[in-house]
Amino acid sequence: MDCSSSRQCSALQQAAGGAVRLAEVTGSRAYERFTGNQIAKLRASRAEDFQDTERISLVSSFAASLFLGRYAAIDLSDGSGMNLLDIRTRSWSEICLEATAPHLDLLLGRPVPSSSVLGPVSPYFVQRFGFSESCSVVAFTGDNPASLAGMRLQPGDIAVSLGTSDTVFLWIQDPRPALEGHIFCNPVDWKAYMALLCFKNGSLTRERVRDRSAGGSWDEFSASLRDTPLGNEGNVGFYFDTMEITPPAVGVHRFDADDNQVSSFSPQQEVRALVEGQFLSRRLHAERLGYSVIPGTRVLATGGASSNKDILQVLSDVFNAPVYTLDVSNSACLGSAYRALHGLQAGSGVSFSEVVKNAPDPQLLVSPNPAAQQVYQQLLRRYAGLEERVLRGPAS
């Protein structure tokens, strides 16, 4: 929620050669909450304190420092969310460091792969709490990378969290950073990447359309999805009750099969237009970051709406991939435990998937309709063009 470093964001983007170039280097355009811009703000507003600073840690690496008994290195995955790390060379970007503060590389230390063993636990924990002297501390990471580990995503997988805001996690090999979304170094495979997309209009928008077009009943909402055809007879809707993050737009926009903007749909069409539109948006923006559906792709659905099988059927159809559910209410904590186990074996070349192979499998809920691929490939292209119109024009 912190927007106090906007001036520093502008300066960083200018130094890097623009927002797009900064995203290409660090995985994201400049964000006020990102650590690099906060460092630049503190350097300007609290110069004496900054002059006395010996070390700068992320929350994750600071927590690891407590267990280690000395400064812990920042891991590459959480370090990707700072606007300072070159995600391709996996080292600090000289341009970004120089634009932020002098000698910043010395204050940050060298980043390390997320599976690195940093050393043995501090003697304090051995003496005070009975930890084993052989207990190792594996590099800590952030909550989003840890969640990817907790959900045990594999190459080509996509995780969709259907909550108040919808969040999409992606495992990608060849990233294409953009002005929307974030690219991070992958926390469980140092050669790969993860992407994160946030969509503000999630469950609250689904509930509003349920109340208005389905009599407040999820059963009637689901029946509308079952009773309308794939592709909704060409009717497409954009439902941004509040200013959206991805894309930055607001308002309700409806288009008929001839791409004419209309003021309303039938109640059943409204329900399907909402759900199809939300998932078309998730896929469109995921693909813009370098994601692609490949043989074996799985969609892992979590969050409140993942209990609605008819909503998940639309998700499966739009992505042309089977949808699984996984009980990951504490995915970041679980992922941290998985990562600790993997860290102890990663040095010998054991993969993360091998380490967690005995963990509970996700449950298959729905598979795509055979006709879905053709319908939604065409509709996805239309949706992309209509989104451009929405970004240019007023709401209906």
Side-chain angles (χ1 to χ4, degrees):
M1 298 297 289
D2 189 340
C3 295
S4 63
S5 59
S6 297
R7 184 168 59 85
Q8 286 77 19
C9 287
S10 297
L12 179 62
Q13 288 182 163
Q14 183 175 358
V20 172
R21 180 56 186 157
L22 182 65
E24 289 172 349
V25 174
T26 71
S28 304
R29 64 171 173 82
Y31 282 88
E32 285 86 353
R33 69 182 184 276
F34 275 26
T35 319
N37 306 303
Q38 293 289 329
I39 291 171
K41 182 190 74 173
L42 288 171
R43 179 192 169 211
S45 62
R46 293 165 57 183
E48 290 186 9
D49 290 336
F50 190 84
Q51 191 67 31
D52 290 339
T53 297
E54 178 178 278
R55 182 79 170 205
I56 296 174
S57 298
L58 297 182
V59 173
S60 56
S61 64
F62 177 74
S65 299
L66 297 179
F67 285 95
L68 199 60
R70 56 182 173 83
Y71 291 130
I74 293 172
D75 84 291
L76 290 173
S77 196
D78 207 17
S80 305
M82 300 172 68
N83 277 146
L84 295 176
L85 187 82
D86 186 323
I87 61 171
R88 300 189 190 277
T89 66
R90 292 172 170 80
S91 60
W92 301 123
S93 163
E94 290 295 332
I95 292 176
C96 294
L97 291 183
E98 291 174 6
T100 303
H103 313 300
L104 189 54
D105 56 332
L106 301 178
L107 296 177
L108 294 172
R110 184 178 62 86
V112 299
S114 301
S115 59
S116 300
V117 175
L118 302 179
V121 73
S122 164
Y124 170 83
F125 285 92
V126 176
Q127 298 161 10
R128 178 74 182 270
F129 296 108
F131 278 55
S132 168
E133 291 183 355
S134 63
C135 177
S136 296
V137 178
V138 176
F140 282 30
T141 194
D143 56 349
N144 288 317
S147 290
L148 178 135
M151 291 183 282
R152 306 196 314 278
L153 261 64
Q154 301 169 5
D157 283 354
I158 181 169
V160 182
S161 176
L162 301 170
T164 303
S165 295
D166 289 350
T167 306
V168 174
F169 294 88
L170 314 164
W171 178 305
I172 52 180
Q173 299 295 134
D174 185 21
R176 296 195 297 268
L179 294 180
E180 298 162 355
H182 311 285
I183 304 288
F184 300 87
C185 295
N186 192 299
V188 299
D189 182 348
W190 70 271
K191 297 179 182 179
Y193 297 87
M194 66 169 281
L196 178 67
L197 286 161
C198 296
F199 301 87
K200 190 178 294 185
N201 292 276
S203 64
L204 296 181
T205 304
R206 288 187 285 271
E207 290 169 7
R208 179 186 65 76
V209 173
R210 175 204 63 188
D211 293 343
R212 183 171 178 178
S213 299
S217 165
W218 283 119
D219 289 339
E220 190 172 331
F221 188 96
S222 294
S224 295
L225 294 175
R226 293 192 301 270
D227 294 343
T228 45
L230 277 67
N232 205 20
E233 298 178 324
N235 295 300
V236 175
F238 298 79
Y239 298 82
F240 306 134
D241 290 356
T242 59
M243 175 58 76
E244 186 51 81
I245 301 170
T246 313
V250 68
V252 175
H253 313 258
R254 302 177 185 88
F255 298 89
D256 65 16
D258 296 318
D259 292 349
N260 297 311
Q261 195 154 8
V262 296
S263 60
S264 64
F265 293 144
S266 72
Q268 288 184 322
Q269 289 173 336
E270 183 87 338
V271 169
R272 178 165 279 276
L274 165 70
V275 178
E276 281 189 345
Q278 287 186 329
F279 294 148
L280 284 166
S281 178
R282 310 311 180 245
R283 179 169 178 177
L284 173 66
H285 291 280
E287 291 184 351
R288 286 178 175 172
L289 289 178
Y291 174 79
S292 59
V293 176
I294 61 175
T297 284
R298 304 176 304 169
V299 179
L300 299 178
T302 69
S306 65
S307 61
N308 187 312
K309 196 169 182 179
D310 295 290
I311 290 178
L312 296 188
Q313 183 64 59
V314 179
L315 176 63
S316 177
D317 290 339
V318 169
F319 278 87
N320 193 39
V323 172
Y324 296 77
T325 58
L326 190 64
D327 181 10
V328 286
S329 54
N330 293 301
S331 59
C333 294
L334 181 61
S336 296
Y338 287 157
R339 288 186 54 259
L341 186 62
H342 177 229
L344 296 179
Q345 303 180 48
S348 58
V350 178
S351 69
F352 179 80
S353 59
E354 179 68 19
V355 168
V356 299
K357 66 181 181 181
N358 293 324
D361 289 326
Q363 179 184 0
L364 174 64
L365 274 195
V366 293
S367 296
N369 187 301
Q373 182 174 7
Q374 182 176 359
V375 170
Y376 289 110
Q377 276 185 341
Q378 296 174 353
L379 193 55
L380 191 64
R381 288 192 291 269
R382 267 191 68 212
Y383 186 91
L386 291 172
E387 184 183 88
E388 290 297 322
R389 284 181 57 184
V390 167
L391 289 171
R392 292 194 304 265
S396 64

